Amino acid sequence: MDRNEKTKNDVDLIVIGAGAVGENVADYATKRGIRVALVESDLVGGECSYWACMPSKALLRSGQALRAAQRVAGARESVTGQIDPVAVLARRDSFTSHWDDGGQVDWVNGAGIELIRGRARLTGRGRVEVGDRTYCASAVALATGSVPALPEIEGLAGAHPWGTKEATSADHVPPRLIVLGGGVAGTELACAFASLGSQVTLLSRSALLKSEEPFVGELLADSLRETGVDVRIGATPFRVVRGSSGVVSVTLEDGSALEAEELLVATGRRPHTANLGLEELGLETTLEVDDTMLVAGTDWLYAVGDVNGRALLTHQGKYQARAAGEAIAARIKGEPVQVEPWGPHVATADHRAVPHVVFTDPEVASVGLTEERARAERLSVRGVEYDLGAVAGASLHADGYTGRAKFVIDVDRGVLVGATFVGQDVAELLHTATIAIVGEVPIERLWHAVPSYPTISEIWLRLLEEYGRP
Ligand SMILES: Cc1cc2nc3c(=O)[nH]c(=O)nc-3n(C[C@H](O)[C@H](O)[C@H](O)COP(=O)(O)OP(=O)(O)OC[C@H]3O[C@@H](n4cnc5c(N)ncnc54)[C@H](O)[C@@H]3O)c2cc1C
């Protein structure tokens, strides 16, 4: 990058997309003293704030709290009422700031970032067109997120199904809801709407949460069924019709048919790269990036967060954003960029330790590699599992606690490379595992990390005992 460009540029860096990721790229780069403009065509804050993480977790939380009380004798007897869907939707609305981005705009302004409203398109090296104006910068970072991928099913688009956006911002609870997709969004929203009183049918081509350890999908399907969700594994929709009464009818490949007031499609997402001008610049729309998020074949274009497809999670995108913001600023200022693993300018954890939580009931929390994945990577590993319900802290936490946990241990290096927990309230267990993996803490040292009694964290001791003292 030519530092002299600074004089003729409007800013040093243009970030396209003001979701959580774009905001963080802009913030970290600004804090390093470079001039940044942030372009947004919709609400500042992006999917996570208004149509994904926050509203979906708000829709789930009241049901979780209610069930938690119902699982403890003594508290259970005092829970006499039902969930109040109107109050849940109102609480969800407060977490999305009623889809008003004023607070986030104030934050952007306060952080010294220039906000440009409009749809951005690349027109050349460091050149970005927004409306009738072209802005120039030394570097451009794409943080345009991802969009839902609609499967090829006859009549589906014409039946106006809900996507995750419509489901998370719904102003009513449909009496019947068919959910297509057994991944994270499908299972979470099936759980949420079932709690709110919908009669939910969940259709999944394969096991639920199929990229997790095999016991995860089984435990989740059992639990969803117990709460009244009709879980159909191996069900493939063939045709969809929304009739004049508004009811959606889904015909499956086996000839059976289902009806519901709404159909939610949650079958995956793809990078949001359409109409960004990439092809015109001779660039691929599948953006390959290095660990500083620099797009392959360029020295000025970066892709951060969902758009690069590395890990479709807010926290991981924000981690990438911190690395990229620092790296971009360093390059613009002519300072050294530290690209060795675990350095300040690279997102090394993307390859080793991506934590994620599925906020279903039971919760699913995992980080690092599954045993199958580790073996595919030719690591010499041993998997150890334990019944979480047999841990004293868990049995106190909820009567009849059901859950399971697993460690994947690299036997050559004697370190943890993967961990999975399934059960009520396991989300908060996850960060310890992330630290053990990122820190490559030797198993023999983990024996000295004593979990408090009686907490669910005693699962650590039980799993180490299963593995055996080194
Ligand atoms: C239902 C659901 C629940 C989820 N729950 C969680 C969760 O609990 N935890 C978690 O970690 N992750 C969760 N995720 C994933 C998370 O939402 C995404 O990983 C995250 O929002 C990605 O952030 P981003 O900034 O990369 O993209 P986005 O948040 O999508 O932001 C991209 C922004 O770019 C703007 N934009 C796009 N193109 C242009 C253009 N040409 N010009 C100007 N602006 C443009 C868009 O308007 C948007 O505001 C969930 C996803 C879904 C669908």
Side-chain angles (χ1 to χ4, degrees):
M1 245 167 268
D2 179 0
R3 290 196 71 198
N4 296 326
E5 280 179 22
K6 202 166 179 176
T7 48
K8 58 179 189 271
N9 285 339
D10 298 288
V11 286
D12 300 309
L13 167 67
I14 298 171
V15 180
I16 304 180
V21 174
E23 287 179 331
N24 273 270
V25 177
D27 189 35
Y28 272 69
T30 303
K31 281 182 179 146
R32 290 287 171 196
I34 69 166
R35 299 168 304 154
V36 182
L38 181 61
V39 192
E40 175 55 55
S41 58
D42 200 331
L43 295 183
V44 173
E47 287 280 316
C48 181
S49 303
Y50 307 106
W51 300 286
C53 327
M54 291 309 276
S56 62
K57 265 79 261 180
L59 289 175
L60 282 157
R61 180 64 197 135
S62 306
Q64 286 163 344
L66 183 64
R67 285 188 296 275
Q70 285 168 335
R71 286 178 185 142
V72 183
R76 180 185 309 136
E77 292 70 16
S78 59
V79 181
T80 49
Q82 299 287 317
I83 202 159
D84 177 350
V86 175
V88 175
L89 295 183
R91 184 168 187 268
R92 183 275 322 268
D93 292 354
S94 75
F95 276 94
T96 58
S97 309
H98 300 266
W99 292 274
D100 176 345
D101 67 359
Q104 304 228 26
V105 171
D106 287 347
W107 174 84
V108 171
N109 292 332
I113 301 160
E114 182 187 347
L115 179 63
I116 301 168
R117 295 278 195 179
R119 182 155 287 280
R121 202 171 66 88
L122 298 166
T123 54
R125 182 193 167 87
R127 293 172 72 83
V128 175
E129 183 186 85
V130 186
D132 55 8
R133 224 199 118 172
T134 298
Y135 297 83
C136 299
S138 303
V140 177
L142 304 176
T144 51
S146 59
V147 287
L150 212 59
E152 294 271 319
I153 298 171
E154 187 186 322
L156 182 59
H160 305 294
W162 275 1
T164 51
K165 207 165 183 165
E166 289 74 22
T168 51
S169 59
D171 60 4
H172 69 286
V173 176
R176 292 172 298 175
L177 175 69
I178 299 169
V179 180
L180 203 56
V184 178
T187 54
E188 281 189 347
L189 289 166
C191 203
F193 278 92
S195 306
L196 292 170
S198 287
Q199 191 187 317
V200 177
T201 306
L202 176 59
L203 305 178
S204 181
R205 220 175 261 230
S206 49
L208 302 183
L209 303 179
K210 67 174 186 312
S211 53
E212 302 284 351
E213 296 287 358
F215 62 84
V216 171
E218 290 162 21
L219 281 171
L220 182 54
D222 289 348
S223 167
L224 284 171
R225 285 185 179 121
E226 270 171 34
T227 56
V229 177
D230 180 1
V231 181
R232 303 199 188 182
I233 309 289
T236 312
F238 164 68
R239 188 186 309 116
V240 179
V241 178
R242 191 183 284 269
S244 51
S245 63
V247 169
V248 186
S249 136
V250 177
T251 308
L252 304 179
E253 273 187 0
D254 65 7
S256 60
L258 299 162
E259 285 193 340
E261 282 66 34
E262 293 298 346
L263 166 66
L264 163 62
V265 180
T267 48
R269 300 180 72 82
R270 56 183 166 75
H272 190 182
T273 52
N275 306 318
L276 272 177
L278 290 164
E279 296 97 327
E280 291 85 337
L281 297 182
L283 295 165
E284 299 284 330
T285 52
T286 304
L287 295 159
E288 275 205 24
V289 293
D290 68 12
D291 280 355
T292 68
M293 305 302 128
L294 183 66
V295 172
T298 76
D299 64 356
W300 60 276
L301 184 65
Y302 294 77
V304 197
D306 274 21
V307 73
N308 67 30
R310 280 164 72 119
L312 273 61
L313 292 158
T314 295
H315 49 266
Q316 212 63 22
K318 285 164 72 176
Y319 163 71
Q320 294 171 9
R322 295 190 284 273
E326 300 271 359
I328 296 167
R331 286 190 177 119
I332 287 174
K333 290 161 76 179
E335 294 170 358
V337 176
Q338 297 173 45
V339 294
E340 70 282 359
W342 308 115
H345 298 134
V346 287
T348 310
D350 280 2
H351 309 293
R352 298 263 185 282
V354 176
H356 61 278
V357 175
V358 188
F359 291 85
T360 42
D361 188 1
E363 285 177 346
V364 177
S366 65
V367 56
L369 303 172
T370 59
E371 186 172 349
E372 186 183 328
R373 185 76 219 141
R375 291 191 193 286
E377 292 193 10
R378 301 194 179 285
L379 294 181
S380 176
V381 292
R382 220 184 106 201
V384 286
E385 292 186 26
Y386 200 82
D387 173 7
L388 208 45
V391 172
S395 61
L396 274 165
H397 196 70
D399 299 341
Y401 191 105
T402 307
R404 193 153 195 86
K406 177 168 181 173
F407 278 175
V408 181
I409 294 164
D410 181 328
V411 292
D412 291 339
R413 291 191 303 134
V415 294
L416 190 66
V417 292
T420 300
F421 306 95
V422 185
Q424 184 186 323
D425 298 325
V426 294
E428 299 297 341
L429 285 181
L430 190 61
H431 198 55
T432 42
T434 307
I435 291 170
I437 294 174
V438 170
E440 299 177 334
V441 184
I443 294 294
E444 61 261 34
R445 180 56 67 88
L446 284 176
W447 277 93
H448 298 277
V450 185
S452 294
Y453 181 82
T455 61
I456 305 177
S457 292
E458 271 210 312
I459 187 63
W460 279 79
L461 177 56
R462 300 282 97 86
L463 285 165
L464 289 176
E465 284 169 344
E466 284 296 303
Y467 184 65
R469 215 158 178 147

